[in-house]
Amino acid sequence: DQDGIAIDSASAFGALDHLTAYGNTRYGITVSGDFASITNSLAYGNSNIGIYITAGMDVFTDNLAHGNTQSWGIYLSNPGNSQILRNESRDNRFGMYVVNGTGMAWVGSLDLAAANGNRVHDNNGTGLYVDGAGVHAAGNTVYGQDGTNQVGLQLGSGSQGSSNLVYDNFFGIDAFGATISNNRVYHNSSTGIQAGQSHVLGNAVYSNARGLVWNGSSAYVVRNNLVYGNSLSGISVTGANLQLLNNTVVQDAGNAITIDNASNIRVFNNILWAGANYALAVSSNSQVGFESDYNLFFTTGGALVGQWQGTGRSNLNNWRVASFTDANSLFVDPQFVDRDGADDQIGYVSPASDG
């Protein structure tokens, strides 16, 4: 197997620019030694990884990998304190992988106005995968990983994903042991966010089949999320010791919140709107340690306030009597300023009217 461009000597001041590698039987560009930067480079049509870096670096920007159909377009291992900005990885087997444990590798930027995010799209498998406590994916655009069971943005243990735009994948975001914050996640054909052992904070999740699916067994928080217009369910929880705080969940189909095979779940200060099924459904196997209060419930159509012990509870008083919860909660129209927005549509309709 032959690499296109292989560099294995270290030069902390080295700058690699405008490299091109294509049609090689192994890696397109591979570097294994610390260097300053790699910029404006292109790798396509290689039989293995397009751009493969196992070295520390300062800057990795404005590179393109496409058509590397057997492996990753871009693979960065332990880049250290680095800026990974404005790259594109598309039409590969997998998109971009960044793993880092020392320092902080910024994959994109929290400064959305600067347009420094990466674009990862239309890959056959996982789009953007970041892993390790030293990596933060922020401000990236991830779409088009739409094959069965494929993931747009995958967050491994210790990593963070913030302010990303994730849409038109099979699964939007899949995370374990991560922090998922302030992302906009919509129009994914299966689940918007599926999170295990993760904090889920301040995301907008809409027009997916399932909005947010959480599983875990430690003290995590799902807080300040806006979940609406999903076709099957809003928030679904299994596991233990989760707190659901200050979320707004508006579902005209399915349950707003479903709790099943769970224990010690706390539901406080949420707005729960249901147009069908239940605003809050708690399975009989999930009553141990369940707490709920200071929520605002509202139902329309044939929806019921809750389900407890397998029986629907049509109004707040019936729910209180059955569950011994929500003594300080309210049933009232939340009076959203404009529930269906300027386009008079709830959620995603088209690329021009995307919620």
Side-chain angles (χ1 to χ4, degrees):
D1 287 346
Q2 297 297 314
D3 302 328
I5 299 172
I7 301 171
D8 61 9
S9 61
S11 172
F13 303 102
L16 307 175
D17 185 57
H18 282 93
L19 305 178
T20 298
Y22 62 92
N24 300 287
T25 56
R26 201 170 72 148
Y27 307 134
I29 300 167
T30 178
V31 181
S32 58
D34 293 351
F35 63 98
S37 64
I38 181 167
T39 55
N40 300 301
S41 293
L42 171 63
Y44 66 93
N46 300 287
S47 296
N48 205 300
I49 299 170
I51 302 175
Y52 181 40
I53 311 297
T54 56
M57 69 183 88
D58 298 323
V59 174
F60 184 89
T61 61
D62 301 298
N63 303 290
L64 170 61
H66 68 88
N68 304 286
T69 57
Q70 301 303 310
S71 191
W72 293 92
I74 297 170
Y75 190 111
L76 309 178
S77 178
N78 292 309
N81 287 314
S82 53
Q83 301 290 318
I84 301 164
L85 311 175
R86 300 186 304 277
N87 303 286
E88 183 177 6
S89 188
R90 59 173 171 82
D91 299 305
N92 306 287
R93 174 72 183 277
F94 308 105
M96 180 189 298
Y97 178 73
V98 182
V99 59
N100 191 57
T102 302
M104 181 56 67
W106 281 94
V107 182
S109 169
L110 289 171
D111 183 359
L112 302 184
N116 281 324
N118 302 280
R119 293 179 63 231
V120 182
H121 60 98
D122 297 303
N123 297 285
N124 290 334
T126 299
L128 175 58
Y129 185 179
V130 297
D131 193 14
V135 61
H136 193 149
N140 303 289
T141 301
V142 184
Y143 62 92
Q145 284 70 224
D146 55 6
T148 301
N149 294 325
Q150 302 309 320
V151 177
L153 173 57
Q154 186 149 6
L155 303 174
S157 183
S159 67
Q160 301 177 65
S162 304
S163 301
N164 299 287
L165 185 64
V166 183
Y167 63 94
D168 283 347
N169 306 283
F170 188 85
F171 296 116
I173 297 177
D174 180 83
F176 184 83
T179 299
I180 311 159
S181 61
N182 302 312
N183 301 283
R184 185 154 72 103
V185 185
Y186 67 92
H187 204 236
N188 299 284
S189 61
S190 182
T191 303
I193 298 176
Q194 52 183 20
Q197 301 283 98
S198 297
H199 295 296
V200 186
L201 312 171
N203 302 280
V205 187
Y206 62 93
S207 296
N208 310 282
R210 297 171 182 82
L212 166 61
V213 175
W214 189 94
N215 175 262
S217 59
S218 299
Y220 289 92
V221 178
V222 171
R223 184 177 65 233
N224 293 338
N225 299 283
L226 173 61
V227 180
Y228 68 95
N230 301 286
S231 62
L232 297 178
S233 61
I235 297 177
S236 301
V237 174
T238 60
N241 304 313
L242 178 68
Q243 296 190 81
L244 290 156
L245 307 175
N246 306 333
N247 302 287
T248 297
V249 187
V250 179
Q251 283 293 126
D252 290 322
N255 301 328
I257 293 180
T258 304
I259 300 172
D260 187 30
N261 287 314
S263 61
N264 300 312
I265 306 300
R266 303 181 75 244
V267 181
F268 279 76
N269 203 39
N270 302 281
I271 297 174
L272 305 179
W273 173 313
N277 292 38
Y278 305 103
L280 178 54
V282 181
S283 297
S284 298
N285 59 23
S286 304
Q287 296 174 193
V288 173
F290 176 76
E291 298 179 56
S292 181
D293 208 353
Y294 298 99
N295 300 294
L296 189 155
F297 293 90
F298 190 65
T299 60
T300 61
L304 306 182
V305 165
Q307 183 187 52
W308 187 263
Q309 294 182 330
T311 300
R313 312 295 171 170
S314 60
N315 57 52
L316 182 55
N317 187 61
N318 290 343
W319 168 256
R320 286 171 173 155
V321 170
S323 65
F324 297 98
T325 64
D326 286 292
N328 299 289
S329 295
L330 300 173
F331 182 92
V332 65
D333 187 339
Q335 297 188 2
F336 298 125
V337 172
D338 188 356
R339 182 172 181 258
D340 56 8
D343 60 0
D344 297 322
Q345 303 285 342
I346 294 176
Y348 177 91
V349 178
S350 68
S353 180
D354 62 4

